[in-house]
Amino acid sequence: MTTIPATPGTGPDPSRPTPTPTSPDAGRTPAGLVPGASPDAAELARVASDRAADLLAPPAPVRLHDVVPAPEHVRPDPDGDFTLRADAALRVGPAGRDVAEQLAGWLRPATGYPLPVTDITVPDADGPLTLTLTSNGGGPADGRSAADGRSADGMSADGGSGRGLGAGPVDGEGLGAEGYRLDVTADGVRITADTAAGLLHGAQTLRQLLPVAIESPTPTGERWTVPGGTIVDRPRFAYRGVMLDVARHFFEVADVLRVIDHLSRYKLNHLHLHLTDDQGWRIAVDSWPRLAEVGGATAVGGGPGGWYSRDDYRRIVAYAARHHVTVVPEIDLPGHTNAALVAYPELAPNKIAPPPYTDTEVGFSYVDPADERTYAFVADVFGEVAALTPGPWLHLGGDEAFKVPAESYRAFVERAQALLAATGKTVVGWHQLAPAGHADGRVLQWWGTDGDDPETADAVRRGARLILSPANHAYLDMKYAADTPIGHDWAGLTDVRRAYDWDPGSHVHGVPAEAVLGVEAPLWTESITNRAEVEFMLFPRLPAIAELGWSPRSTHDWAGFRERLAGQGPRWTTAGIAFHPAPEVPWPHATIPTQAVRGSASATR
Ligand code: TNX
């Protein structure tokens, strides 16, 4: 293993006074004290107590290797632990300001520190340099997702690079669309990236390296020590996602935003929203208003349903963009359309409105593939949803249209693909689309349970790329164990190890790793009705799928993963995130299950 060269700019800052052991900040005016004025006694006491605590500093409680998903390269430096102080400021260039504001927003509640965000280009920006976010430039500025799903070409981290710092972009160059470099020294923390998305991933890594109490919503008086060393990190796959089915049960905007927070924590970059199904149509379409008004009024079990107005949907995509998450909207066609047929019987093959459907069978409904009106509907809906969606993808479903004969299905899909492409978006669909003709750039989402799938492999040979969602590993609606109170088991029971132990790069026979765009964990919600239940099914399997999508294959190791995952439990408990305390994970004692999710223990505050 070769060693990493010294990081430019991470040594002592020459513009800062040289600290001495007895006076770490000699010559510096403590933050909040006006130079030349007489400091008040309380302020002096605070500074003195900070300094005393420094001298008694225990080693950092979190280790640099504890991060989930596992970074590409990690090099700890036991002499480089950094302690965040009350007078810290975040210094940042213009391209990183929004990320710095987000990071400060995560750190302020628990620390109680003001943590101002200051401009790195302004000489003597207020506050000592303690955290630094800089962008190398060259990537998109804040607010735009760098994760367009095509950005990681040539970035595969496979090849046995290991977790030392012997290979890879150790000088901050070549970090790609989402990579970052994090340097922690006794003098400060520096995050470097080519893009705002990379900076955000680096900031999430820093958040995990702070003590568990950083998740507290109120100040805790902790010593905020970060383990010293360097991490250089990039994703293995460009597409790393979660699907939320908001059609079977409806979830309010606030719940969706919270799911985006969870994605961002684990460096996932796509949120697929399953917006339409038999039981509900959840997105307003101005040209076909009854879709939402009538089709949105039902849900599994007979609840009131709901739907997103255009503004609701805009809020979701804007919040996602700020987290460098791309929203992938799905309009499921030609099957799974009972709610649309209730609203517009003209779309039904027999032109008669079916009764609203609130049960959980699949495969009985479809829009009439022989009627031109159906294609006007498809074009209008795709046009409006595409116009509201900044990301490059539109998902047209295509699954389980059991009642549509193969030839009509194929002809329908080919026309729908063309209508979708006419909106400027790229086709995504479930792998049932495979027999239909190729559309430029099209992506199939594979949800099989047997990797021997010649039809899908053939579609890949004709140019398709794959998102891997094997139902027996990545479907987060599967029960963890036979006694899990919610969820399905048609694809088997999916404990954390099963969610983790597979390789997206070689899962489907005849599909090379280069054709794999990434991974996605779908959460179908027939039996999932509220936020706590969503979290109970996501955690702790979401980080397992996130690690498969992000980390180099060389880091794959169940024994190590379960240890690192265990360290996340107290963070979720402190943050009020419900989770399943899976027995195969050695949770620390502090992670006490306290809240029942329909009869089962889950850990939350
Ligand atoms: C299959 S997988 C479905 C969904 C169900 C899910 C339940 C796929 C594309 N379709 O309609 O909700 O199983 O696990």
Side-chain angles (χ1 to χ4, degrees), residues 27-40 44:
R28 207 179 59 172
T29 305
L33 302 189
V34 182
S38 151
D40 76 19
L44 283 176

Side-chain angles (χ1 to χ4, degrees), residues 278 334-338 341 349 361-369 398-409:
D278 292 318
H336 289 274
T337 39
N338 198 78
L341 307 184
E361 295 302 314
V362 297
F364 57 90
S365 63
Y366 60 101
V367 291
D368 186 355
D399 58 316
E400 299 172 325
F402 299 142
K403 293 277 173 67
V404 184
E407 265 319 298
S408 327
Y409 174 84

Side-chain angles (χ1 to χ4, degrees), residues 248 336 399-400 430 447 475 477-478 488 490 524 526:
R248 268 53 178 271
H336 289 274
D399 58 316
E400 299 172 325
W430 299 107
W447 58 280
Y475 265 33
D477 59 318
M478 292 302 132
H488 298 125
W490 66 260
W524 301 100
E526 286 95 333

Side-chain angles (χ1 to χ4, degrees), residues 1 71-74 157 159-167 552 554-555:
M1 184 173 82
E72 188 178 22
H73 301 285
V74 179
S161 54
R163 301 185 69 196
L165 281 171
S554 56
T555 65

Side-chain angles (χ1 to χ4, degrees), residues 220-244:
T220 68
E222 184 89 15
R223 276 189 56 78
W224 303 109
T225 300
V226 182
T230 295
I231 288 176
V232 182
D233 203 8
R234 296 176 301 180
R236 179 181 180 196
F237 293 108
Y239 188 109
R240 306 175 306 281
V242 162
M243 188 205 79
L244 183 63

